[in-house]
Amino acid sequence: MRIRGGRLRVGRNAADTSGSNGSGGGGPVGGPSGGAPTGSHTTGGPTPGGGPTGDRPPGNDPTGNDPTGGDVAGGDTAGPASGGRSSAGGGSSAGGGSSASGPDSAGAGRLVSPWPRAAALLLAGALPALAFPAPGLWWFAYLALVPWLLLIRTARSPRRAVLDGWIGGIGFVIAVHHWLVPSLHVFIVLLAALLGLLWAPWGLLVSRLLGGSPSARRAVAAVVVVPSGWLLIELVRSWEGLGGPWGLLGASQWEVSPALRVASVGGVWLVSLLVLAVNTGVALLIAAPPARRTAGVLLLLCALSVTAIWAWAPRPGYADTVRIAVVQPGIVAGPGSVARRLDRGEELTRALAGRGVDLVVWGESSIGAGVWERPETARRLAELSRRVGADLLVNVDARQTDGSGRSGIFKSAVLVGPDGPTGDRYDKMRLVPFGEYVPARSLLGWATSVGKAAGEDRLRGDRQVVMTVPDGERGLRIGPLVCFETAFPDMSRRLVRDGAQVLVAQSATSTFQGSWAPAQHASLGALRAAENGRPTVHATLTGISAAYGPRGERVGRPLGTGASAAEVFDLPLARGETLYGRFGDWPVYGAFAALAALCAVEGLRALRRPVPEPPGPPARTAHGSPERPGR
């Protein structure tokens, strides 16, 4: 029996809208003798809401589910009235379907209590963090979201689905950013609670598309729309004010060659979409038997798509090589650390003389306040450049004045040649919230008393810069980035479009030694290289320093967090343009289109939904009749 004209509440009996248990009161639908008991609703009779029963016309399903699937409010109705059985929670039907809200659906009966369910959701949301460095279980990314999806699928109501998305989002944020705890302390819980709200509507979307017994049509929609919803979450939290694009799921695939090829076509966004599509398909295989064949076909299509990209996507062509040295002084702490770090950097740079390097790169904040103001500092750096035979790209964290006359603390990449600073300077544009400035300091300034938030806000630059380094008869064009700017795909793409031949990132993760942060940060260079088809150098004060070729492949030997050394990398220069470099963030626009299409379909179905007839007056019987005994 299909119910028409009304919408069942999630968790109510499809055959007994009075709310009584199908096994109590009037007994199972059809009763022991196979006939409908008094008050039960059979095909052809009126529904409690006054609407006629019978089969729903094709394409007129108010819940948006496939009309042929018998779905009501995300779940299935009971089977035929003469043989179906429905529990109070919307249990399994005679036809084998199950309600998304019933205790028989995918473990809902085991996780009905709020606190155990919340704990399970926090853990499920945290699981994807294992796919990132340093654990580096990249393959786990394709399964890590499945427990979270299955839990949301069993939500008893839309409100519960929203809550499931939020709680899982809190677990994800804390796990991916746990290394911030020494700096933010309890503030990270508030931060996670705020950012976790981004996953609340995603939880509703997952429940809507994966709940109940999805038909083939709904399975296809789920594999497209659920990843699209996640991608928009990644886009929103990529805003600098919300912490930037750290922990994008696609970034976990930084050392997988096929994934890097995918990144060259659609950036890290396309990799995230594919990873989410696989997770959604696996969840359908596990929990939705009617959609298993469809899910299997969709997973095969994902694999074929990656194979096609691997075979036909344009590859950067190699033109020449460039030799770039990275100087990593290591941990230098205590009184006078700024001057001692400069001394150590100078010592390591001198050892590069005679090695034919074209550029020497120092890490972020390699020259600090007090040292930069001294005239002898510029002379020392110029002497180093003459001795090595190459320009130095240093990084200054000190009070300065920029070209527009603003004075304050800037983090600046400064190019120094044999005659001193060349005038090429890039001021960091995207600052780390709380680490380099406090958003709305008048309201959140108290964060400085409970953590290591910036005591004074840094000033930001107003434009990106491509620098030209003398290299014999040619000029090497480099695109500098500072710290977590390597996490923003658009910044690297802009530099390459402006003519940068090598992307150079200067970073300092000394605050987070012993955590997963250094490895995660260094891995971002592989993605930026693959996206743009340009080699990338990642230079740090304390590790991990590394270099990557134009296809994202690792070049040379990285310097770990325990090293105090200089390393030379021979990087192949590339020519040509990747598809991502040409078309940009097109997967994001595709995700918008998929969600817009879903909203349009739902809107059309809502307009076509028949208006239920108003309920008629209650039946009146003679006083004292057998049907209604006298009072």
Side-chain angles (χ1 to χ4, degrees):
M1 175 183 73
R2 292 185 176 89
I3 297 176
R4 179 183 180 191
R7 184 181 179 93
L8 291 185
R9 295 178 181 271
V10 177
R12 296 289 296 273
N13 192 329
D16 180 8
T17 58
S18 67
S20 62
N21 191 317
S23 60
V29 178
S33 61
T38 302
S40 65
H41 308 290
T42 59
T43 304
T47 66
T53 61
D55 289 336
R56 188 188 316 280
N60 201 26
D61 179 12
T63 66
N65 296 319
D66 184 12
T68 62
D71 297 326
V72 178
D76 292 341
T77 63
S82 61
R85 179 176 179 179
S86 173
S87 66
S92 60
S93 69
S98 62
S99 169
S101 58
D104 294 333
S105 59
R110 296 187 294 274
L111 289 172
V112 171
S113 300
W115 292 110
R117 185 179 182 91
L121 285 162
L122 284 171
L123 178 60
L127 287 177
L130 297 176
F132 295 95
L137 305 178
W138 63 265
W139 53 268
F140 186 58
Y142 297 93
L143 303 172
L145 288 170
V146 172
W148 191 1
L149 292 171
L150 295 180
L151 281 168
I152 296 176
R153 181 181 180 273
T154 64
R156 290 178 174 271
S157 67
R159 180 180 299 179
R160 179 72 247 186
V162 168
L163 189 61
D164 288 352
W166 179 45
I167 295 174
I170 293 174
F172 180 85
V173 172
I174 291 177
V176 172
H177 298 85
H178 73 278
W179 42 271
L180 287 173
V181 172
S183 298
L184 298 181
H185 299 294
V186 296
F187 194 75
I188 194 174
V189 178
L190 176 59
L191 178 67
L194 292 174
L195 290 179
L197 290 172
L198 295 173
W199 280 270
W202 184 74
L204 186 61
L205 187 68
V206 171
S207 176
R208 175 69 186 81
L209 292 172
L210 295 183
S213 182
S215 62
R217 188 182 307 175
R218 189 146 58 98
V220 173
V223 172
V224 174
V225 177
V226 169
S228 297
W230 181 282
L231 192 65
L232 293 193
I233 296 172
E234 293 196 335
L235 180 67
V236 172
R237 70 185 185 89
S238 294
W239 179 46
E240 175 196 343
L242 294 179
W246 193 277
L248 303 184
L249 200 59
S252 65
Q253 307 302 295
W254 67 279
E255 56 184 344
V256 182
S257 294
L260 292 174
R261 296 279 288 144
V262 172
S264 73
V265 173
V268 67
W269 312 113
L270 185 57
V271 183
S272 287
L273 278 177
L274 286 172
V275 171
L276 260 295
V278 172
N279 275 274
T280 307
V282 172
L284 287 168
L285 284 175
I286 294 174
R292 281 178 180 167
R293 178 176 298 178
T294 303
V297 171
L298 292 171
L299 290 174
L300 179 60
L301 286 176
C302 288
L304 292 176
S305 299
V306 174
T307 303
I309 290 173
W310 176 266
W312 292 306
R315 296 175 183 264
Y318 295 152
D320 205 344
T321 59
V322 62
R323 175 165 284 194
I324 296 179
V326 170
V327 172
Q328 180 177 301
I331 298 176
V332 181
S337 59
V338 174
R340 289 188 289 115
R341 182 183 300 119
L342 176 60
D343 292 341
R344 180 57 177 160
E346 182 179 7
E347 178 186 355
L348 293 171
T349 303
R350 287 182 180 277
L352 295 171
R355 300 190 62 179
V357 297
D358 300 305
L359 176 69
V360 179
V361 183
W362 290 16
E364 180 188 11
S365 303
S366 48
I367 301 177
V371 172
W372 183 243
E373 289 82 358
R374 300 172 187 171
E376 63 269 20
T377 301
R379 290 195 296 268
R380 290 170 64 180
L381 294 174
E383 192 276 331
L384 276 177
S385 176
R386 290 192 297 270
R387 183 181 184 90
V388 176
D391 282 13
L392 278 61
L393 185 68
V394 301
N395 193 276
V396 179
D397 184 5
R399 196 170 300 278
Q400 305 173 69
T401 301
D402 69 355
S404 62
R406 293 182 301 161
S407 294
I409 301 177
F410 289 90
K411 283 199 171 183
S412 306
V414 179
L415 190 64
V416 180
D419 299 322
T422 63
D424 283 338
R425 167 180 158 183
Y426 165 67
D427 297 325
K428 185 178 182 181
M429 295 176 61
R430 295 183 182 173
L431 305 176
V432 180
F434 298 99
E436 294 169 343
Y437 78 103
V438 176
R441 184 177 285 272
S442 59
L443 296 176
L444 301 177
W446 56 269
T448 60
S449 62
V450 298
K452 298 179 181 179
E456 179 181 352
D457 292 348
R458 268 63 174 170
L459 299 183
R460 67 185 69 238
D462 56 6
R463 64 187 180 91
Q464 291 188 261
V465 176
V466 174
M467 303 176 180
T468 301
V469 179
D471 183 16
E473 297 180 354
R474 62 181 182 178
L476 175 67
R477 295 173 62 81
I478 63 171
L481 298 163
V482 181
C483 192
F484 89 140
E485 288 181 334
T486 56
F488 294 87
D490 64 302
M491 296 194 73
S492 299
R493 178 171 177 262
R494 174 63 182 270
L495 288 171
V496 172
R497 292 186 69 84
D498 288 344
Q501 297 171 284
V502 181
L503 298 172
V504 180
Q506 297 172 299
S507 176
T509 53
S510 53
T511 305
F512 309 109
Q513 293 294 98
S515 73
W516 296 354
Q520 287 187 30
H521 200 177
S523 70
L524 297 175
L527 284 162
R528 303 293 85 88
E531 287 171 344
N532 299 285
R534 295 295 183 270
T536 300
V537 175
H538 183 79
T540 71
L541 292 180
T542 58
I544 298 173
S545 298
Y548 304 93
R551 299 177 183 177
E553 73 278 16
R554 182 176 287 169
V555 174
R557 178 177 62 92
L559 295 175
T561 54
S564 175
E567 186 69 21
V568 177
F569 299 98
D570 290 315
L571 296 172
L573 297 179
R575 58 177 180 270
E577 190 177 24
T578 63
L579 292 177
Y580 174 74
R582 184 180 307 169
F583 299 111
D585 302 328
W586 62 267
V588 174
Y589 305 130
F592 273 113
L595 291 172
L598 176 69
C599 292
V601 170
E602 292 294 320
L604 289 174
R605 283 176 173 167
L607 291 174
R608 294 168 58 188
R609 183 185 307 164
V611 179
E613 298 177 5
R620 306 181 68 87
T621 59
H623 183 72
S625 67
E627 291 81 2
R628 187 172 183 178
R631 299 175 184 172

